[in-house]
Amino acid sequence: QVHLVESGGGLVQPGGSLRLSCAASGFNFVYYAIGWFRQAPGKEREGVSFISSTGGRTFHTDSVKGRFTISRDNGNNTSYLQMNSLKPEDTAVYYCAAGLDDFLDTRPGAYEYWGQGIQVTVSS
């Protein structure tokens, strides 16, 4: 069965860094774009960072540009989200998702496979 499993979350101080990993199995990872989303309490799920199937194209929402970097290793069926200069407003549950649309769509509905989510808390 399809699995997307996030890891690497936790508690970090403002200004710190964290790297999230998303390990995929059960589908042909190399055909899928990967999106990282986040959802804070009381807020809608927000698209954060996206990468095309080959890794040749990426997109980051304005609030994380210059701080977050998305990457993927198709040989290991894994995507990474490197998060630097973290701010309290980055606190959320982070989800990775996979979709066959290679247009770097920022809408959750464009992604068919989802991980379980992982908590990232940025706090002193």
Side-chain angles (χ1 to χ4, degrees), residues 2-80:
V2 169
H3 284 106
L4 290 168
V5 180
E6 301 96 337
S7 61
L11 176 65
V12 65
Q13 295 184 21
S17 296
L18 217 54
R19 188 177 77 156
L20 303 183
S21 298
C22 175
S25 60
F27 67 102
N28 199 337
F29 181 79
V30 301
Y31 291 156
Y32 284 74
I34 297 296
W36 284 90
F37 295 79
R38 66 188 181 188
Q39 189 164 26
K43 296 184 179 179
E44 292 186 1
R45 191 163 297 187
E46 172 191 27
V48 178
S49 298
F50 303 86
I51 188 165
S52 61
S53 58
T54 65
R57 291 175 290 118
T58 62
F59 173 80
H60 303 278
T61 195
D62 285 346
S63 63
V64 308
K65 283 181 180 175
R67 300 189 297 120
F68 289 14
T69 302
I70 188 170
S71 61
R72 66 190 295 160
D73 181 348
N74 282 350
N76 268 339
N77 292 341
T78 304
S79 177
Y80 304 94

